[in-house]
């Protein structure tokens, strides 16, 4: 995946009882190419590919990130 045309977005989703889920999205032309979700409380993660029919909605919750942070999370999981 060439990183120069991709956009990386991270979201912190707060679950019941203060639990956190980290979501990291890879976007190309505003469409989600890949997503990693990690639930810290359950210590479970999943990877979703080929979601190009979904567009990312602009939100204050979107935290811009980069390819290196994406690779660190992917390697950790």
């Amino acid at each position: 995946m060439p990183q120069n045309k991709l956009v990386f977005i991270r979201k912190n989703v707060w679950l019941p009882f203060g639990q956190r889920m980290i979501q990291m999205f890879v976007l190309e032309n505003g469409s989600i190419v890949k997503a990693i979700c990690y639930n810290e409380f359950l210590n479970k993660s999943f990877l979703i590919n080929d979601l190009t029919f979904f567009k990312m909605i602009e939100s204050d919750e979107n935290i811009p990130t980069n390819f290196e942070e994406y690779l660190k999370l992917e390697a950790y999981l």
Side-chain angles (χ1 to χ4, degrees), residues 4-52:
N4 56 353
K5 39 193 292 202
L6 300 177
V7 174
F8 299 87
I9 300 290
R10 187 184 76 217
K11 288 187 177 226
N12 293 317
V13 179
W14 294 102
L15 304 172
F17 308 109
Q19 302 161 2
R20 182 172 72 156
M21 179 182 290
I22 299 168
Q23 299 176 327
M24 191 152 320
F25 299 92
V26 180
L27 308 175
E28 184 172 38
N29 298 323
S31 294
I32 302 171
V33 177
K34 192 185 265 193
I36 296 176
C37 298
Y38 172 65
N39 184 318
E40 290 182 331
F41 179 73
L42 298 176
N43 196 26
K44 300 265 183 187
S45 64
F46 53 94
L47 174 67
I48 304 169
N49 292 307
D50 299 323
L51 296 171
T52 53

